[in-house]
Amino acid sequence: MQETDEVPQLTAQHRELLDQMLDKWSLQIMEALCDQPLRFNELRRAIPVVTQKSLTAALRRLERNGMVERVVAQTRPVAVEYRISPIGRTLQGLIDALLLWTTDTLPEVELARGRFDDLHL
C-alpha cells in the first residue's frame, strides 16, 4: 500500500465492498471464523438465526472477495470447511475494535434511542 497524505475518497467500489463486508451476516461469519475454521453446519450453530440460504450467499460473497477460503477435505463423506483467508485475517483487529466500540457505546445509543422515541413516537 502506498503511503500518501491524501484522505481516501469513498467510491462506488469502496461502498460495494463495505456493503458486502458489513451486511447482516458477514461480520458474524468473519468473527466466528477468526477463532477457528468451521464447517457449514458448525457456522449455522454458531449463528443460529441465519438461514441456510443466507449463510450460503454470505459465504459465497466472502469467498469471492477473498476474505474466506473454502477447503474441501478428501474424506468420506467429503467435508467442506471454511476458514479465514490471509486477507480476511487482516480484518480481525477491525472486527474486534467494532465489537468493543459497540459494547462501550451501546448504553449511550440506547439512551439516545429512548429520547428520540419519547419525542417522535
Side-chain angles (χ1 to χ4, degrees), residues 12-23 65 67:
Q13 292 170 312
H14 291 109
R15 279 193 310 278
E16 179 186 19
L17 180 57
L18 289 170
D19 285 348
Q20 291 179 9
M21 294 306 303
L22 299 174
D23 72 357
N65 286 309
M67 304 298 148

Side-chain angles (χ1 to χ4, degrees), residues 38-42 70-82:
L38 296 170
R39 293 174 65 173
F40 186 87
N41 284 328
E42 292 172 324
R70 183 178 183 270
V71 179
V72 179
Q74 299 303 319
T75 59
R76 296 228 183 233
V78 173
V80 176
E81 184 178 81
Y82 295 90

Side-chain angles (χ1 to χ4, degrees), residues 106 108-118 121:
L106 194 56
E108 291 177 59
V109 170
E110 289 174 343
L111 287 172
R113 288 175 179 168
R115 286 191 302 271
F116 180 91
D117 292 349
D118 288 346
L121 298 180

